[in-house]
Amino acid sequence: IKGKNMIANRIPIIRNGKVEGAFGRVLFKNVEELDELYKQIGDMTQELNFYERSFAKSNSSKYGADDIVGNSPAMGELKKTIKHIAYSKSNVLILGESGTGKELVAHAIHSEYHGEDKPFVCVNCAAIPSELLESELFGYEEGSFTGAKKGGKIGMFQASDGGTLFLDEIGEMPLQMQAKLLRVLQDKKVKKVGSNEAKPVNVRIIAATNRDLEAMVREGTFRDDLYFRLNVISVNIPPLRERVEDLPMLVEVLIDKVSGNPYMDARGISPEAMEYIK
């Protein structure tokens, strides 16, 4: 058109089977505009791929059963249990004192079955304020509340679809949220905050706590129906004082880690120090 190459669309006008004219619309006034759009789409695709890789990396399992240090009978039994239950799709409740490695066991259960192919999303129920926990777990629609992000946000359930959602410190979850979590576990559907549509999710739940949930059920601070939904398979992690024979191996692993620090030189441990630790 007037000596310039343009990208245009032409729609014929047909009356009684005869072409009588055409409707024309210029999509790009010059080829350079198309090149610029193509470049922008390419940049956006690269950025999207970067965020998808970053998301997958941050929401994937990092440890397997072989990363659990210890050769005591108790730890041998624990590793055997992990490998046995990994291929079940049932929910798992991990019990143990603080510092016993409940999250490590959750990683291992997921890794034995899914490896790094499926998402593994961790949520600390004690670290998220109760008023934000629902939107974090289930997501929200745009404009559903003051401060909601434009375009809304997917929740942890949708982020872990096809994989595992690890609910740490489940004993700290408020009763109101327990009821909503139970509904999702029963229906296998998630409804975002501010939405009327429930979307199906396929998620395995691994929950962990250092609290006595049975006592909480008796006290009325934890729902019995949710407890039985979560406690399909239970795993008890023994504290270190009950498996002192694992200490030498643990110390060796920790010394190797410390030795990787250029400012430290740890070559070993004296028998006296080992006895003191025991």
Side-chain angles (χ1 to χ4, degrees), residues 90-104:
S90 301
N91 296 332
V92 179
L93 180 62
I94 303 174
L95 305 169
E97 298 175 15
S98 293
T100 49
K102 295 186 288 295
E103 184 172 341
L104 177 61

Side-chain angles (χ1 to χ4, degrees), residues 29-46:
K29 292 182 179 179
N30 53 60
V31 179
E32 286 74 19
E33 282 188 9
L34 178 61
D35 290 338
E36 181 62 28
L37 178 63
Y38 181 78
K39 182 178 179 300
Q40 287 179 9
I41 292 173
D43 291 342
M44 290 169 64
T45 303
Q46 279 189 326

